[in-house]
Amino acid sequence: MSPSNSTRWCPTPEHLMILEEMYRGGIRTPNASQIQKITAHLSFYGKIEGKNVFYWFQNHKARERQKLRRKLSKQLYQQQLLQEQLCLHRRHNQENKFLSSNESPPPALHQLSLGKSADYLHPGGVGSAAAHMTSCTWKRDPPNMYELQNTSMMRSYGDDWTMMMLKMRDAGPTHYPSCCRSNRPLKTLELFPITTQNVKDHQATTSNPSLNSYS
Amino acid sequence: MSPSNSTRWCPTPEHLMILEEMYRGGIRTPNASQIQKITAHLSFYGKIEGKNVFYWFQNHKARERQKLRRKLSKQLYQQQLLQEQLCLHRRHNQENKFLSSNESPPPALHQLSLGKSADYLHPGGVGSAAAHMTSCTWKRDPPNMYELQNTSMMRSYGDDWTMMMLKMRDAGPTHYPSCCRSNRPLKTLELFPITTQNVKDHQATTSNPSLNSYS
DNA sequence: GCAAATTAATGATTTATTCAAG
DNA sequence: CTTGAATAAATCATTAATTTGC
């Protein structure tokens, strides 16, 4: 059907360019007012109404997610395979090598396998522990939170930032479609974000609620 | 300061080479386990800890995005100039035409500038501090058609659409970074927070955080 | 050539926003 | 509607490049 009497919106290339630009720019769920403006703007390039804009964002968001999911699971699966291979390979090498030496082998540049923990996709795979970052560093103001936490973990890793920052958890995903969810209990090492009470000057001014209250 | 007693990490050329290689290879937000591996690997080439790796990826990602953003906004700006020219041209033609008819010329929609990065587009101009905001600026007063308000716009879309709109968030500034909030009355309608990213990055990190790190 | 001064890069922190589970 | 989790954006702070006057 020709665009002129189509029952549905036929976005022009300009429409798509601009919408995609906005999407990249972070717009996901524009509110009514934004939609109005966008629509007004886009109508310069061709027939369009608000609902088209609305639906476009809805669909685009959903479909990008979908694409991402598929891509990731594919990637991750392959990476896992790789990792497994690598592991076997290394084991093999080491077993042979260390029979006649006490050095440890230098790290192989690109043999680092960076499995992106596709655990939920392929349960039972190699790296079943995924990890998360938590922003809790303290460089100058070591807070007093150690006792609140898993002290054994703390002690064993000392000041090692990585261990502090990382909250290792079992692969059991929390935010995934139910079909992907694992029922296993989490083996979470608890680590709480630190909130220093020392308020720096700029914090006092920039995050002062009274200055920021809009409600 | 010599690297030995520096307060901050001084990446060696090898560090940078490897990190960049990984980045090119698609790593954006390594999880704890990945960071551990990377750190272990890199420490072969010089002092380094996990947080350095973590921050490096954070920063690198952000700054690549920034670069891209600037590039794009430049492009867009020039496109706009072009369009404006075009429009003036058209208008000119039409105005001549309307001398012998009773139609009125169409509103100058093109004067809507979908400007991004105000610092780039309007140096020293409106909202120059809001570098990452996209603003929807009319260089003159809004054409009459914009005075049509919500209701009339809504009505024309029928029940489905109305329902949709009603479910949408309130109009008005939703969640813009504080630095983008301006105190003075603007002739600028704040619209789009811009975070242009390349698709890969975007997919990997923005649209669904949980996907990225749990996967 | 060579420091002091200035500017650009980039490491490290903090804050704000988003998504979605409960 | 509230909240936990994640992370992008903004910002602060130090180091590296560079410019400048001698």
Side-chain angles (χ1 to χ4, degrees):
Chain A
M1 226 179 204
S2 76
S4 58
N5 54 349
S6 170
T7 62
R8 64 183 218 184
W9 173 54
C10 288
T12 70
E14 292 94 325
H15 285 162
L16 290 178
M17 270 188 55
I18 296 174
L19 287 169
E20 274 158 15
E21 171 69 19
M22 286 171 176
Y23 188 89
R24 273 194 301 277
I27 307 221
R28 292 293 179 280
T29 311
N31 60 35
S33 144
Q34 290 176 304
I35 288 184
Q36 270 185 282
K37 288 170 194 155
I38 295 170
T39 306
H41 182 122
L42 290 187
S43 64
F44 180 62
Y45 303 99
K47 195 180 169 196
I48 190 174
E49 31 185 333
K51 68 175 178 183
N52 305 134
V53 174
F54 175 79
Y55 286 135
W56 189 90
F57 278 97
Q58 290 272 94
N59 286 322
H60 198 68
K61 188 166 61 175
R63 282 158 190 162
E64 286 295 301
R65 251 203 299 264
Q66 206 172 33
K67 267 196 276 178
L68 176 62
R69 247 177 232 138
R70 291 198 183 134
K71 203 158 122 189
L72 269 181
S73 69
K74 199 166 143 188
Q75 262 184 9
L76 297 175
Y77 177 64
Q78 292 180 338
Q79 260 172 336
Q80 273 191 340
L81 285 186
L82 247 166
Q83 201 171 6
E84 254 171 55
Q85 295 294 5
L86 242 160
C87 234
L88 288 174
H89 181 67
R90 279 202 195 127
R91 254 171 188 295
H92 180 258
N93 279 355
Q94 290 194 328
E95 273 157 12
N96 288 343
K97 194 167 178 184
F98 291 117
L99 291 176
S100 53
S101 144
N102 58 353
E103 296 176 58
S104 52
L109 211 320
H110 293 296
Q111 281 180 358
L112 250 191
S113 68
L114 299 165
K116 286 193 176 177
S117 49
D119 314 285
Y120 84 96
L121 295 166
H122 308 285
V126 172
S128 61
H132 276 261
M133 296 310 248
T134 304
S135 302
C136 54
T137 48
W138 47 89
K139 189 161 188 181
R140 295 170 187 135
D141 304 308
N144 57 347
M145 68 295 146
Y146 289 93
E147 56 274 10
L148 298 174
Q149 303 167 24
N150 186 328
T151 49
S152 68
M153 174 185 174
M154 294 298 184
R155 250 179 272 119
S156 55
Y157 293 109
D159 285 331
D160 185 307
W161 179 91
T162 306
M163 284 301 133
M164 301 287 195
M165 292 280 283
L166 305 181
K167 186 156 69 174
M168 306 291 293
R169 70 165 67 203
D170 225 15
T174 50
H175 302 310
Y176 284 95
S178 52
C179 60
C180 301
R181 245 177 245 146
S182 157
N183 294 329
R184 280 180 291 166
L186 292 182
K187 190 178 65 182
T188 303
L189 301 179
E190 294 295 348
L191 229 193
F192 302 103
I194 306 312
T195 50
T196 351
Q197 298 301 2
N198 306 12
V199 182
K200 291 183 184 173
D201 288 349
H202 87 274
Q203 287 177 320
T205 53
T206 58
S207 59
N208 189 329
S210 62
L211 294 176
N212 268 348
S213 61
Y214 298 99
S215 42
Chain B
M1 226 181 202
S2 78
S4 59
N5 53 348
S6 170
T7 64
R8 69 184 211 184
W9 172 55
C10 289
T12 70
E14 288 92 348
H15 285 164
L16 291 179
M17 272 187 53
I18 296 174
L19 288 169
E20 274 158 16
E21 174 66 26
M22 288 171 172
Y23 187 89
R24 272 195 300 276
I27 308 218
R28 292 291 179 281
T29 312
N31 62 33
S33 144
Q34 292 175 303
I35 288 182
Q36 276 182 284
K37 287 174 193 151
I38 296 171
T39 306
H41 181 78
L42 289 187
S43 63
F44 185 69
Y45 302 98
K47 195 181 170 197
I48 189 174
E49 28 182 339
K51 67 175 180 181
N52 306 132
V53 173
F54 173 77
Y55 287 140
W56 189 90
F57 278 99
Q58 290 267 96
N59 283 319
H60 198 68
K61 187 168 56 178
R63 282 159 185 161
E64 286 295 303
R65 250 198 310 256
Q66 208 171 33
K67 270 195 269 179
L68 179 63
R69 214 158 33 212
R70 289 197 183 134
K71 211 158 99 187
L72 276 180
S73 71
K74 201 165 146 185
Q75 273 181 2
L76 218 125
Y77 174 59
Q78 291 180 338
Q79 217 179 4
Q80 276 179 355
L81 284 186
L82 253 167
Q83 275 165 1
E84 237 163 89
Q85 296 294 5
L86 232 161
C87 234
L88 284 176
H89 181 69
R90 278 195 197 135
R91 242 160 130 60
H92 180 258
N93 283 353
Q94 289 193 327
E95 270 157 13
N96 286 345
K97 202 170 161 189
F98 288 125
L99 289 177
S100 51
S101 90
N102 56 355
E103 297 176 60
S104 54
L109 289 181
H110 61 289
Q111 282 167 2
L112 249 188
S113 78
L114 188 68
K116 311 168 35 169
S117 309
D119 55 341
Y120 176 81
L121 293 173
H122 312 290
V126 175
S128 61
H132 56 291
M133 263 328 250
T134 287
S135 47
C136 186
T137 311
W138 280 280
K139 288 178 178 158
R140 297 172 204 161
D141 287 335
N144 284 338
M145 67 178 299
Y146 292 104
E147 286 164 8
L148 294 174
Q149 221 19 270
N150 257 357
T151 49
S152 61
M153 177 185 177
M154 303 280 201
R155 242 180 278 121
S156 61
Y157 293 121
D159 286 333
D160 286 346
W161 177 237
T162 305
M163 297 301 276
M164 294 290 185
M165 293 293 277
L166 289 178
K167 276 196 273 186
M168 293 182 3
R169 292 189 215 171
D170 250 354
T174 48
H175 298 298
Y176 297 127
S178 54
C179 59
C180 297
R181 293 183 199 118
S182 168
N183 301 331
R184 60 187 161 143
L186 289 182
K187 202 168 57 179
T188 300
L189 301 180
E190 294 186 326
L191 245 189
F192 321 115
I194 288 303
T195 56
T196 310
Q197 306 163 331
N198 66 40
V199 174
K200 197 174 195 175
D201 181 16
H202 176 255
Q203 287 179 335
T205 58
T206 300
S207 57
N208 195 333
S210 46
L211 278 183
N212 178 41
S213 26
Y214 285 86
S215 19

